[in-house]
């Protein structure tokens, strides 16, 4: 519990900031809308797999969460969408199935053999697939570039077994561009069975690329209310809470041009080559704007101007975002030539 | 900036309900329990689909740390359905049955059976249909003794004498969501033989009736039509057995006392007999537990005396009947009440010397109240009268020697069945083949 000295407004601020960072708040961007359509199509067609690739912090994981809910809205609450976060792992069959079982939210014994775990995975996938009449399971794999060739083989094995029983395992890989390197590697090694199953549909995912897309984000901020402790109070908009002295007619939407100008100038000033703005920095800079220049800050302003917006963007770390490529250890690679 | 890039009323913020993230230790759907499936089959399916060991399953369901699978374990589960198990003394079966319970008590299951009814109607070994087994299905109805082959696949059942011969079944070959089993044919069998039967008790009056042998010869007929119905009453319509028997006893003793039993028979004698019969356990005076009374023994006396009075005027018949009484009671002086009223013993019922009607264990094992158990007394009454008719015919019409006639009597037992409308039916079963021997 918060101490009494920690007043209600500060508490609301903390909760709102937490909410803005969480999956409770997802902006339905144009990129998400496009990807949603594509994934819906893949699921409808029953394709084996697809890859969604982008540079870091563009919102792939968020889009994955969003689309998983969209699929449930479309196909029904029971429609199985499994989200699997790949971490660094020793490439063993046991690790593969154990990790997948964890993603399936199934507890299992550490002493179980790989075969027992595989049976458990199959049993669970069959159950999930048969829970709806569509007989499909969608597996969304985040950070898929961490998968090894053997992992793909075991995935293919699951796909084949399920297919023999009339069930479809649709795998969507979400990854940074390293996954494309993996595809090239498999292709070069003649592993067509993997490439042709999982790498046929590749969807590039971007951040905010034009002012119109940024306007959608700003409009979303206008639609958002603050998070309160009990949630029983009258809804208060972000603008009314953080900038109460501003003109009643003001909207964050009105700041779109200023935001865009600030982002553009920073990009030019820092010699950044990539022309899309990762969503992380759009939302991040907005959070900074609220938290550091809103009513609870000692630098509070009546209404944000270019200067504070520019400052917020700089503080969000946007200038560090031009990592066209990172290697597997996370180190920067040489930037592409402009 | 133009506002038209933002369509009106479009929601651009999504609040998601992420639901529960609690990992589960097992996956199970009640719908996976297929019609007529035995609890054992359900347990095995659960074990297989969740990758549990047998001990793991019991650890989870019954909070038992160690559990080894053996034949006793199987027997406790093969006859049980999830919605209602036949009575078993296996301690784990109740927990398992509750765990998998569908909550629908109207679903078909084996009727509740006493031990002897199980011996009569159920196979003592675990039998499987090899085809059903491949897809991980076993029905409790397969254990019904008269069913010799699988109603679905029409292949003979295989007996599994040991668990080592039970083949493992693959997950993808047996997942209940992948394979539907057409249990309509099993249902047909159920409807044909067990429909409406809620519980079955098998009553044997003596140990001569070979229950298993008779069970093997049973035909695929409705259980309720097995044998000849000799008595029926509503389950809730319990008679006052003590009052009825006392009245019957006083009436018959009044008819025979002076001429047959004793010249000094008084009401005090009758009162002693009745008190000794019914009031052995004061706590249940009004409706004592059946096993606390000597009602079975008194019933034998009443029946015999009633018959004796009936045949008193016919000397030839009376003589033959006296022989029959000696045979029934196993003594030369059948109406002396030695078994009932013996002043020098505190346990009169230990004097079990009756040849054909001596199975007083009836009283020991019966845990219901006396009034609810009148069927047992009716069965004893019927047994003596039915056997007498056969005995009389053998001796008087077929002129068979009295001692040999006894050996030619058929073995008789009784099925006491309660149907789903709450009507109790008492059917007489006659093992006729014994006569042929």
């Amino acid at each position: 519990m918060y101490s009494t000295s920690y007043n209600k407004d500060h508490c609301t601020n903390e909760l709102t900031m937490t909410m803005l960072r969480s999956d409770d708040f997802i902006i339905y961007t144009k990129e998400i809308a496009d990807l949603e359509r594509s994934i819906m199509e893949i699921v409808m067609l029953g394709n084996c797999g697809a890859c969604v690739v982008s540079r870091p912090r563009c919102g792939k994981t968020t889009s994955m969460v969003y689309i998983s809910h969209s699929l449930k809205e479309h196909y029904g609450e029971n429609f199985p969408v499994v989200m699997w976060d790949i971490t660094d792992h020793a490439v063993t069959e046991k690790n593969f199935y154990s990790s997948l079982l964890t993603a399936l939210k199934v507890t299992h014994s550490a002493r179980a053999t790989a075969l027992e775990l595989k049976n458990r995975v199959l049993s669970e996938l069959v159950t999930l697939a048969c829970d709806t009449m569509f007989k499909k399971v969608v597996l969304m794999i985040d950070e898929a570039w961490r998968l090894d060739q053997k992992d793909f083989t075991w995935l293919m094995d699951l796909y084949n077994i399920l297919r023999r029983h009339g069930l479809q395992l649709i795998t969507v890989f979400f990854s940074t561009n390293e996954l494309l390197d993996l595809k090239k590697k498999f292709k070069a090694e003649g592993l067509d069975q993997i490439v042709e199953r999982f790498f046929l549909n590749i969807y590039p995912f971007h951040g905010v690329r034009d002012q119109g897309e940024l306007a959608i984000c700003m409009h979303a901020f206008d639609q958002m209310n603050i998070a309160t402790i009990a949630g029983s109070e009258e809804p208060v908009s972000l603008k009314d809470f953080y900038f109460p002295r501003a003109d009643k007619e003001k909207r964050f939407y009105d700041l779109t041009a200023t935001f865009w100008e600030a982002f553009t100038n920073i990009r030019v000033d820092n010699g950044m080559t990539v022309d899309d703005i990762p969503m992380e920095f759009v939302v991040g800079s907005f959070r900074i704007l609220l938290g550091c220049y809103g009513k609870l800050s000692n630098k509070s302003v009546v209404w944000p101007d270019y200067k504070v917006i520019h400052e917020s963007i700089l503080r969000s770390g946007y200038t560090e975002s031009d990592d066209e490529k990172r290697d597997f250890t996370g180190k920067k690679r040489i930037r592409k030539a402009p | 900036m133009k506002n038209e890039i933002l369509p009106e009323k479009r929601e651009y913020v999504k609040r998601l309900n992420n639901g529960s993230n609690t990992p589960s230790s097992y996956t199970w759907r009640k719908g996976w329990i297929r019609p007529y499936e035995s609890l054992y089959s359900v347990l095995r399916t659960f074990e297989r689909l969740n990758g549990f060991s047998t001990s793991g399953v019991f650890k989870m369901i019954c909070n038992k740390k160690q559990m080894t699978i053996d034949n006793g374990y199987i027997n406790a589960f093969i006859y049980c359905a999830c919605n209602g198990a036949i009575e078993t003394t296996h301690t784990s079966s109740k927990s398992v049955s509750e765990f998998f319970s569908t909550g629908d008590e109207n679903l078909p299951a084996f009727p509740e059976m006493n031990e002897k009814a199980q011996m009569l109607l159920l196979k003592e070994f675990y039998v499987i249909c090899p085809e059903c087994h491949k897809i991980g299905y076993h029905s409790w109805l397969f254990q019904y003794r008269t069913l010799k082959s699988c109603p679905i696949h029409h292949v003979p059942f295989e007996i599994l004498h040991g668990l080592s011969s039970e083949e493992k079944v693959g997950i993808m070959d047996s997942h209940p969501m992948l394979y539907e089993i057409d249990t309509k044919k099993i249902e047909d069998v159920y409807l044909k033989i067990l429909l409406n039967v809620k519980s079955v008790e098998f009553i044997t009056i003596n140990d001569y009736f070979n229950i298993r042998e008779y069970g093997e010869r049973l035909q695929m007929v409705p259980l309720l039509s097995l044998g000849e119905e000799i008595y029926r009453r509503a389950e809730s319509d319990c008679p006052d057995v003590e009052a009825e028997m006392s009245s019957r006893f006083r009436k018959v003793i009044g008819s025979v006392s002076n001429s047959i039993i004793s010249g000094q028979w008084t009401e005090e004698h009758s009162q002693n007999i009745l008190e000794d019969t019914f009031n052995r356990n004061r706590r249940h005076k009004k409706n004592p537990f059946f096993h606390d009374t000597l009602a079975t023994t008194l019933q034998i006396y009443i029946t015999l005396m009633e018959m004796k009075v009936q045949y008193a005027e016919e000397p030839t018949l009376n003589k033959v009947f006296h022989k029959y009484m000696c045979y029934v009671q196993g003594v030369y002086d059948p109406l002396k009440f030695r078994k009932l009223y013996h002043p020098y013993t505190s346990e009169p019922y230990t004097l079990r010397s009756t040849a054909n009607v001596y199975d007083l264990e009836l009283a020991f094992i019966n845990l219901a109240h006396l009034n609810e158990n009148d069927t047992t007394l009716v069965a004893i009454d019927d047994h003596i009268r039915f056997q007498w008719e056969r005995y009389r015919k053998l001796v008087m019409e077929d002129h068979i020697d009295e001692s040999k006639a006894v050996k030619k009597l058929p073995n008789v037992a009784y099925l006491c069945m309660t149907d789903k409308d709450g009507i109790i039916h008492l059917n007489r079963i006659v093992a006729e083949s014994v006569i042929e021997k």
Side-chain angles (χ1 to χ4, degrees), chain A residues 28 107 120 123-124 131 253, chain B residues 3 10 12 25 27 29 49:
Chain A
Y28 188 61
T107 56
R120 188 76 183 86
S123 164
E124 198 63 24
D131 266 348
Y253 177 80
Chain B
N3 271 330
R10 179 84 196 242
Y12 286 91
S25 55
T27 304
R29 307 274 193 277
L49 294 187

Side-chain angles (χ1 to χ4, degrees), chain A residues 24 36 39 66 69 76 106 229 239 278 291 306 334:
Chain A
D24 278 350
E36 184 186 28
I39 302 284
Y66 187 96
H69 283 79
V106 172
I229 301 168
K239 180 242 161 188
Y306 177 84
I334 300 165

